[in-house]
Amino acid sequence: MKKFIYLLAALWIFTGCETEVNPNLSEPANIVVIDAWLTNQGLTQHINVTRSQAYFEDAAPPKIPDAVVTVTDLTDPGIAPYVFQENEERYTWNSTDGNPLGIVGHTYELEVVIDGVTYTSRTTMSDVPAIDSLTFRLEEGNAFFDDLIFAEFFATDLEGVDDTYWIRSWKNGEYLGEPDEIVVAYDAAFGADDDNDNLPFIQPIRDAPNPFENAHSGDILSPYALPDTFLISTDSVFDRAGNLYGVISDGVILIDEENEYVFEEIDAILLADERFTIRNDSLFVAGDSVYVEIHSISNDAWFFMNQVIIETTRAGGFGALFATPLANVSTNIIPESPENRVAGFFNVAAVSNAGRRLNTEDEIRVLF
């Protein structure tokens, strides 16, 4: 009987009352934040120089004006420093000779001067493996979900241990940048291990370009989808299985009544969906697209990104009571003196990339 009473008491403690708490938070420390993630891709590079703000502040942090921002190639003194010019939102460098910023193997120093205080950092641009292929695969559905089409990239870690990478992905031109979509790799896997050197990236990493969403019904949506109907020529309409649906007559598609797809004016179709395109006087419906980049990052940047994942993917509910407090992640930027606090990171990356669009079932690997 006593055990039953104790159980009731415990249940009352956790479920019997609910109190809304509005804590009085002290003013946050005013910390300089420097985000300098540079690449050898493109002829324009950006560095954000801002100040920290309150945790619940909804607006983007404002730029710190009048900073002097430069990046210097320490390996080749003959290369003029890269001077970043201030614009409305951040600091920008544009190539004047058609060459991108960064050479593999070179060490770079970032210097940011704010109100007479200097912040510095150094990093070396590492090499990056090429993306060998970008494919789609089918995982057949079951009682719990429909067929799922996944994008998958294939690449092999470079020879030599302690190579670290950041995999970035886009679906239909939209960057997959949610906290749970951050993917980093240590050699071919997730952590330091000599056995992972110079091997193909493991499966979870290869699946980086797959967003997971639920329909309003709660059903899992396929990360990528084929188009519903293909318009193969100007006078015939086929479904994705190759079955003839109808013919085009005077700009109107005539379709059997049993077919659920009923399209009218072709021009209206083109205007209604940007993924309808004209190619060689033929109409076709484009499927989902995927684009993947591999960035070479320093070991310190890999550790930084893992800390970001921990701090931004916290579970709610009861488990949150025992979570470690939120904290600024580590930085490789050094202030002139300890009282000048700073956050952010500096990395110069080599980048490899690949893109593909899903148009036919022939492009999908079926797993047996």
Side-chain angles (χ1 to χ4, degrees):
M1 180 64 181
K2 286 184 178 180
K3 290 183 179 178
F4 179 70
I5 294 174
Y6 293 153
L7 177 59
L8 287 177
L11 290 173
W12 180 84
I13 289 172
F14 289 109
T15 66
C17 61
E18 183 175 306
T19 303
E20 183 176 334
V21 178
N22 296 296
N24 292 320
L25 301 178
S26 58
E27 281 294 314
N30 198 280
I31 301 174
V32 170
V33 181
I34 301 171
D35 284 314
W37 296 86
L38 309 180
T39 74
N40 66 347
Q41 189 179 49
L43 302 180
T44 300
Q45 298 292 312
H46 306 285
I47 294 178
N48 292 316
V49 182
T50 60
R51 293 192 187 276
S52 60
Q53 58 188 21
Y55 180 76
F56 294 106
E57 181 66 42
D58 196 28
K63 177 201 64 185
I64 297 176
D66 303 322
V68 179
V69 181
T70 57
V71 172
T72 303
D73 188 324
L74 299 180
T75 303
D76 185 352
I79 298 177
Y82 305 96
V83 180
F84 285 70
Q85 303 296 328
E86 181 178 358
N87 59 31
E88 186 174 345
E89 297 180 352
R90 49 194 173 178
Y91 292 83
T92 301
W93 170 83
N94 290 291
S95 173
T96 57
D97 58 6
N99 293 317
L101 185 153
I103 300 172
V104 171
H106 286 211
T107 298
Y108 295 89
E109 181 178 67
L110 168 70
E111 182 179 273
V112 179
V113 181
I114 303 170
D115 297 330
V117 178
T118 302
Y119 302 84
T120 59
S121 182
R122 290 185 180 184
T123 191
T124 299
M125 176 190 278
S126 302
D127 203 355
V128 66
I131 296 178
D132 299 322
S133 63
L134 188 56
T135 65
F136 295 98
R137 76 173 189 274
L138 172 68
E139 294 193 7
E140 294 185 347
N142 52 36
F144 303 100
F145 57 84
D146 295 328
D147 290 352
L148 301 178
I149 300 174
F150 293 88
E152 184 177 11
F153 77 92
F154 288 86
T156 301
D157 167 52
L158 298 173
E159 186 173 1
V161 296
D162 299 333
D163 293 311
T164 39
Y165 313 100
W166 177 16
I167 292 86
R168 306 183 67 190
S169 305
W170 286 256
K171 175 185 175 180
N172 294 332
E174 182 175 345
Y175 176 54
L176 305 182
E178 293 297 323
D180 59 354
E181 294 171 330
I182 298 173
V183 178
V184 290
Y186 202 113
D187 289 323
F190 290 110
D193 187 340
D194 291 350
D195 293 337
N196 295 325
D197 179 47
N198 199 216
L199 295 174
F201 287 118
I202 63 174
Q203 179 70 60
I205 295 173
R206 298 202 305 264
D207 278 353
N210 293 291
F212 284 95
E213 302 175 275
N214 291 338
H216 293 301
S217 62
D219 295 337
I220 298 175
L221 298 177
S222 177
Y224 290 87
L226 282 160
D228 290 323
T229 304
F230 286 97
L231 307 181
I232 305 301
S233 69
T234 56
D235 59 2
S236 301
V237 183
F238 296 83
D239 67 5
R240 60 189 184 190
N243 300 315
L244 180 63
Y245 268 173
V247 295
I248 298 174
S249 175
D250 297 328
V252 177
I253 300 176
L254 306 177
I255 297 179
D256 189 289
E257 292 180 357
E258 295 180 359
N259 176 20
E260 63 179 309
Y261 304 102
V262 180
F263 298 134
E264 294 184 349
E265 295 293 331
I266 295 178
D267 289 343
I269 296 175
L270 296 174
L271 293 174
D273 190 340
E274 293 181 356
R275 295 194 302 171
F276 281 79
T277 310
I278 296 177
R279 177 188 292 171
N280 297 331
D281 297 326
S282 297
L283 296 172
F284 72 96
V285 183
D288 286 331
S289 69
V290 59
Y291 172 74
V292 179
E293 292 181 349
I294 303 178
H295 291 230
S296 63
I297 59 175
S298 66
N299 292 172
D300 287 342
W302 177 88
F303 182 72
F304 173 91
M305 295 300 294
N306 275 281
Q307 286 185 295
V308 170
I309 294 170
I310 293 171
E311 294 292 342
T312 55
T313 56
R314 292 168 171 263
F318 185 74
L321 294 174
F322 305 99
T324 55
L326 287 167
N328 288 329
V329 297
S330 60
T331 179
N332 66 343
I333 300 172
I334 302 171
E336 190 174 299
S337 56
E339 61 266 23
N340 301 121
R341 299 176 62 187
V342 63
F345 213 84
F346 173 50
N347 188 83
V348 183
V351 179
S352 63
N353 60 79
R356 188 170 182 179
R357 186 178 291 279
L358 177 60
N359 281 320
T360 70
E361 287 185 334
D362 292 340
E363 297 178 272
I364 303 174
R365 294 186 298 113
V366 180
L367 303 181
F368 296 97

